Amino acid sequence: MSHDSTPPPMPGYTPPPAPGYLPPQPPQRPNRTTTVLVAAAAAVVAASLAAVVTARVGGDGEAEAAPTVTVTETVPAESGDTVADTGADEPTEEAAAEEAGEDSYGFDDTIVYDNDVEISLSKFSRAVSSDYAAPENTPYAKFTIKIVNRSDKKVDAGMMTVNCAYGDEGKEGEAIYDDGLDGLPDTSILAGRSLSVPWGCELPKGESFLQIEVAPDYESETSIFTGEVKK
């Protein structure tokens, strides 16, 4: 029988823990400095997100449209959809010629045909036909038609056609047959030679605009001469 015994603990004394045992630690309060830094970082992130949202949203709360990119398409000239920018509203020489008509010329122009026959007008004047003319006592414009044959073949002058009109309304002007105005000559123009034919067209005294249509033969295109004859 053992007589060993454990003496009772002393008042106010806490025995040391057994080896390898640690009592649980009480919860620690967060450090104030750490809290401030975390809050500041969060504020920075929130401000950045707010700036991004503000940049994407307009004042009325709707998202702003992205910038528009304009693409210019070049249309081929032959399609007729593109107008060249010349920097002026004036028509080009080609457009003016097309509007006036390529077969319309002035009294001082010389027309050269593909067969190397040239036609020109000159010596304009006014007169009144005689009592024996056809038509008689009629005011008219007198001028000279010159035909130059630069081809290597003869040209029949009797094949030429001449027609006249006058005034803004384009009234037909009769050919005048009078002394020295015998109409078309019944002759040929040899290669390298020329022929001048005097001609008269009715033109009232109150009119000045005269249109003269001339063709060297029936197969050639008619050339139209226009101008003002002095009153």
Side-chain angles (χ1 to χ4, degrees):
M1 180 174 181
S2 174
H3 296 282
D4 296 335
S5 61
T6 302
M10 297 297 291
Y13 172 77
T14 301
Y21 172 78
L22 293 175
Q25 299 292 325
Q28 297 182 358
R29 295 181 179 180
N31 187 280
R32 180 174 178 81
T33 303
T34 303
T35 302
V36 173
L37 293 176
V38 172
V44 171
V45 173
S48 299
L49 293 176
V52 173
V53 173
T54 302
R56 294 286 184 178
V57 179
D60 54 359
E62 296 182 358
E64 295 180 351
T68 302
V69 178
T70 303
V71 179
T72 303
E73 181 180 359
T74 301
V75 181
E78 57 269 20
S79 68
D81 295 336
T82 301
V83 178
D85 185 5
T86 61
D89 293 333
E90 297 180 359
T92 61
E93 293 182 2
E94 291 79 2
E98 182 178 355
E99 181 179 357
E102 294 182 355
D103 56 349
S104 180
Y105 308 96
F107 285 162
D108 56 349
D109 289 332
T110 297
I111 311 306
V112 181
Y113 286 84
D114 292 338
N115 59 356
D116 293 328
V117 173
E118 299 179 4
I119 291 181
S120 61
L121 307 179
S122 62
K123 300 180 180 179
F124 281 85
S125 62
R126 283 180 177 264
V128 177
S129 61
S130 65
D131 295 338
Y132 304 98
E136 73 278 4
N137 301 319
T138 301
Y140 68 93
K142 183 178 180 181
F143 53 91
T144 298
I145 305 172
K146 185 176 182 179
I147 309 100
V148 179
N149 181 13
R150 299 188 184 279
S151 68
D152 55 359
K153 298 179 181 180
K154 67 179 181 180
V155 173
D156 187 354
M159 298 288 288
M160 184 171 62
T161 60
V162 183
N163 294 287
C164 296
Y166 64 85
D168 296 335
E169 297 180 1
K171 294 182 179 180
E172 181 180 2
E174 293 187 59
I176 303 296
Y177 297 93
D178 202 351
D179 185 20
L181 299 175
D182 300 323
L184 296 175
D186 186 15
T187 184
S188 296
I189 307 173
L190 300 177
R193 307 292 293 180
S194 64
L195 179 66
S196 294
V197 180
W199 198 267
C201 284
E202 178 187 2
L203 183 64
K205 294 181 179 180
E207 300 287 351
S208 60
F209 177 80
L210 183 62
Q211 174 178 308
I212 305 169
E213 302 179 8
V214 183
D217 53 57
Y218 300 137
E219 297 179 356
S220 298
E221 182 180 357
T222 299
S223 297
I224 303 177
F225 297 85
T226 59
E228 301 285 334
V229 179
K230 295 181 179 181
K231 296 180 180 181

